[in-house]
Amino acid sequence: MKQKVVLAYSGGLDTSVAVAWLREQFDAEVVTLTVDLGGGSLREGVERRAISAGASRAYVVDAKETFVRDFCWPALQANALYQGVYPLATALARPLIAQLLVEVAQKEGATAVAHGCTGKGNDQVRFDVATHALDPGLEVIAPMRVGMGLSREQSIDYAAARGIELPITKASPYSIDVNMWGRSCETGVLEDPWVAPPADAFAWTVDPGAAPAAVEIVVGFEGGAPVSIDGERLGPVALVERLNALGGAHGVGRVDHVEDRLVGIKSREIYEAPAAAILHAAHRALQGLVLSKDTLRFNRLVAHEIAQLTYDGLWFSALHRDLRGYVASADRTVSGDVRVRLDHGSATANGRRSPLSLYDRNLATYDEGDAFDHASAVGFIEIFGLPLRVEAARHGAVGAHHGAAWTWTLPLLPDLRVAVTDPVATPAAG
Ligand code: ARG
């Protein structure tokens, strides 16, 4: 019996060639799987092209809602941004696609899955690791890693010789990956990190300098998940689409990132993620209102950890599952509204309110109604500062610490220009 392979199929040139290549090299029956994750990722006529390339069956799965609800929202609730800036659009999509590959493989009785990733990116790692976490018995074939590497011209000839329908898109100077959480764009002139990204590297956002006058929107959250815009309740997909359009029109969500890939390479990527930029800013602002300072501090560690696990393709790890459980629990009170100002490329929180707010105006106010006990601050500081007083007493002047590479400069006054004004002695009257 022929080996059956399920190929993650975008409908582009490379994966179309891969269908024929897998059949020829492995004498395999090829089933394609195309996952619609929004953002324009679904190419017109993919199933037809898959069949023309020799697939025995072509699956097209609309996973937009699952993607946003079960992948993007948890990353948002965790404030997960790789290296502090990348909202992880591509990285979040991979475990979902891998999961669907495994499910289709099991349904079809296939022994292998395949993907079109090269051997020097993160995505191959994410696909391979996620697939084996879910089904260790499946083989993973990446044609690009095992000899399929054809130039664009060779691929076009290869496809033409086999009657494979080709996408009628003109060759892009970039390598692009898209889903509704963001657009990732790399290679070409972008490979020089000193070169400013040309206008054609962007597709979702206007030049911030050319954006219209600033606007303010209100984003509503329930339990850490966004649920409304300007009071209108929207499902996850509609909400993200709306914010991508709105944010994009104001130049919001551009990120120019020299990032550290899992395989050890520094690479330069241009991201556009208007909805993610707006929602991350809003979510953090609302958390600041409703979570304790200790939870917020711990969340920063978790954010960092989850971003790294997601980037590194460890989505289905026990550590990620457990951290995610913490995040879902910690975020259960993150309900309320945030005003967000979209202003020439920036998305900034301009105000927040919540029925679960921990902000107490009577404690915070400098006006009338102040409920804070000023006198008790003295006792608090006495105890709070105790360790520092003990330390200073033990070591003498802190600056006189011997042998340290760096010490406080004490005293500072002799080195500074000091103006001293004394009262002018007025001559005694009389
Ligand atoms: N560097 C990003 C990541 O690893 C995006 C890669 C997307 N691929 C692309 N051709 N731009 O998550």
Side-chain angles (χ1 to χ4, degrees), residues 82 86 88-92 94 121-123 126 174-178 183-187 257 259-262 267-271 310-311:
Y82 181 61
Y86 166 38
L88 294 160
T90 299
L92 286 165
R94 298 310 180 230
N122 297 313
D123 287 332
R126 298 169 182 150
Y174 307 110
S175 163
I176 293 160
D177 179 65
V178 164
R183 180 176 181 272
S184 310
C185 178
E186 65 180 345
T187 72
H257 186 202
E259 74 191 37
D260 288 282
R261 280 192 199 163
L262 184 46
S267 70
R268 201 266 192 104
E269 193 103 34
I270 302 299
Y271 297 108
T310 303
Y311 189 84

Side-chain angles (χ1 to χ4, degrees), residues 420-426:
V420 181
T421 306
D422 291 320
V424 181
T426 43

Side-chain angles (χ1 to χ4, degrees), residues 95-345:
L96 171 53
I97 298 171
Q99 183 175 346
L100 292 170
L101 277 175
V102 169
E103 288 182 25
V104 171
Q106 289 170 348
K107 193 169 141 71
E108 287 285 331
T111 51
V113 300
H115 57 71
C117 304
T118 68
K120 62 193 286 190
N122 297 313
D123 287 332
Q124 52 162 349
V125 184
R126 298 169 182 150
F127 277 126
D128 292 22
V129 168
T131 299
H132 288 143
L134 298 172
D135 187 342
L138 282 170
E139 187 190 346
V140 184
I141 306 171
M144 300 290 239
R145 282 191 310 221
V146 290
M148 194 190 89
L150 303 175
S151 69
R152 192 179 158 79
E153 286 64 36
Q154 287 170 324
S155 292
I156 292 172
D157 293 345
Y158 187 96
R162 287 159 182 81
I164 301 173
E165 250 185 66
L166 285 182
I168 21 152
T169 46
K170 70 168 180 8
S172 164
Y174 307 110
S175 163
I176 293 160
D177 179 65
V178 164
N179 62 54
M180 61 192 308
W181 199 235
R183 180 176 181 272
S184 310
C185 178
E186 65 180 345
T187 72
V189 292
L190 301 172
E191 283 179 359
D192 180 348
W194 173 243
V195 168
D200 71 354
F202 301 100
W204 288 13
T205 55
V206 303
D207 178 346
V215 295
E216 195 180 82
I217 58 171
V218 176
V219 182
F221 287 82
E222 277 171 16
V227 293
S228 65
I229 299 171
D230 292 332
E232 182 189 346
R233 284 192 81 88
L234 292 166
V237 174
L239 189 138
V240 171
E241 283 174 347
R242 179 87 60 92
L243 290 182
N244 275 334
L246 248 172
H250 287 271
V252 168
R254 291 185 172 191
V255 176
D256 179 344
H257 186 202
V258 171
E259 74 191 37
D260 288 282
R261 280 192 199 163
L262 184 46
V263 293
I265 300 169
K266 278 195 189 290
S267 70
R268 201 266 192 104
E269 193 103 34
I270 302 299
Y271 297 108
E272 290 173 281
I278 293 167
L279 291 173
H280 270 279
H283 178 257
R284 271 197 310 273
L286 189 55
Q287 279 190 324
L289 189 70
V290 301
L291 300 182
S292 74
K293 80 169 182 187
D294 292 324
T295 299
L296 290 168
R297 177 167 47 82
F298 189 67
N299 279 356
R300 286 193 285 274
L301 302 178
V302 175
H304 184 73
E305 209 45 59
I306 288 186
Q308 190 74 52
L309 291 170
T310 303
Y311 189 84
D312 289 352
L314 301 173
W315 184 265
F316 293 112
S317 64
L319 178 57
H320 179 235
R321 180 200 59 214
D322 294 339
L323 289 178
R324 186 174 160 161
Y326 162 76
V327 169
S329 174
D331 239 34
R332 70 199 181 281
T333 59
V334 182
S335 302
D337 299 315
V338 184
R339 295 174 192 278
V340 185
R341 182 180 158 91
L342 312 180
D343 187 0
H344 297 90

Side-chain angles (χ1 to χ4, degrees), residues 31-68:
V31 171
T32 59
L33 166 66
T34 305
V35 185
D36 182 7
L37 297 173
S41 56
L42 184 64
R43 288 181 164 93
E44 161 78 23
V46 265
E47 53 286 85
R48 209 184 47 238
R49 194 166 314 125
I51 299 299
S52 87
S56 62
R57 187 173 256 185
Y59 283 80
V60 177
V61 178
D62 177 352
K64 294 196 286 289
E65 171 126 12
T66 302
F67 178 54
V68 178

